[in-house]
Amino acid sequence: MTDPRELYQQVILEHNKKPRNFGKLDPCTHHAHGLNPLCGDDIELTLVVEDGIVKDLKFSGHGCAISQASSSLMTVNVKGKSVAEAATMVAQFRDMIRGKLDPAIDAHLLGKLILFQGVKDLPIRVKCAVLPWATLHSALEGESAVSTE
Ligand code: ZN
């Protein structure tokens, strides 16, 4: 079995190099802009929500490898989920990153996203990993801008 830290590195590098769902949806039903001034991560999220389902979502912007890979993986995992499930994933991802949810024990919807659990040991990177989730939360709540500060 592959070392989880090695797998984490591979996934981050791979998604950073080839981000999934990169771009903008036009028209979109929801959008938000997320900023992490501490690191300079800057992302814009556009979504198409229909009948309570996140039919499509894309992100654009720039930032460090962790924020880009986290955004890419988020879009892959949230696409096709209901708005309620997406909101639960936001809460569960935040809890996991803060060490309040242990994906090995607690039930969760995070799937492959549990790769990010190691980020909790790198406090300076927590905001980078959480940024796309905070932005998704704002978009679904109808707020258009979020800053991790
Ligand atoms: Zn960053």
Side-chain angles (χ1 to χ4, degrees):
M1 198 176 148
T2 321
D3 178 346
R5 273 168 304 176
E6 204 173 294
L7 185 63
Y8 166 76
Q9 291 289 352
Q10 279 175 11
V11 171
I12 298 281
L13 288 174
E14 214 265 322
H15 276 264
N16 185 45
K17 208 157 64 174
K18 279 191 245 157
R20 316 298 197 272
N21 304 307
F22 193 87
K24 280 182 192 176
L25 293 167
D26 185 19
C28 67
T29 59
H30 295 67
H31 69 97
H33 182 214
L35 197 62
N36 173 18
L38 214 64
C39 179
D41 307 318
D42 188 331
I43 66 163
E44 183 157 6
L45 201 61
T46 49
L47 290 85
V48 171
V49 177
E50 271 174 36
D51 303 326
I53 305 287
V54 181
K55 291 266 159 108
D56 204 0
L57 73 170
K58 285 190 191 290
F59 80 100
S60 60
H62 56 87
C64 66
I66 292 183
S67 69
Q68 293 284 298
S70 183
S71 302
S72 174
L73 273 157
M74 180 198 75
T75 60
V76 170
N77 284 273
V78 168
K79 201 175 195 168
K81 296 280 195 304
S82 70
V83 169
E85 284 171 325
T88 303
M89 289 170 79
V90 170
Q92 290 177 342
F93 190 88
R94 280 182 163 149
D95 282 353
M96 176 182 74
I97 289 284
R98 288 169 185 155
K100 289 186 204 154
L101 178 145
D102 183 345
I105 309 169
D106 305 311
H108 63 83
L109 296 172
L110 297 174
K112 267 173 86 178
L113 295 165
I114 64 169
L115 280 170
F116 282 92
Q117 66 182 305
V119 172
K120 71 173 187 287
D121 302 321
L122 303 163
I124 199 156
R125 290 298 179 202
V126 165
K127 286 181 175 176
C128 304
V130 168
L131 180 66
W133 294 93
T135 311
L136 175 65
H137 180 77
S138 298
L140 293 174
E141 294 286 311
E143 296 155 15
S144 59
V146 62
S147 170
T148 57
E149 280 305 279

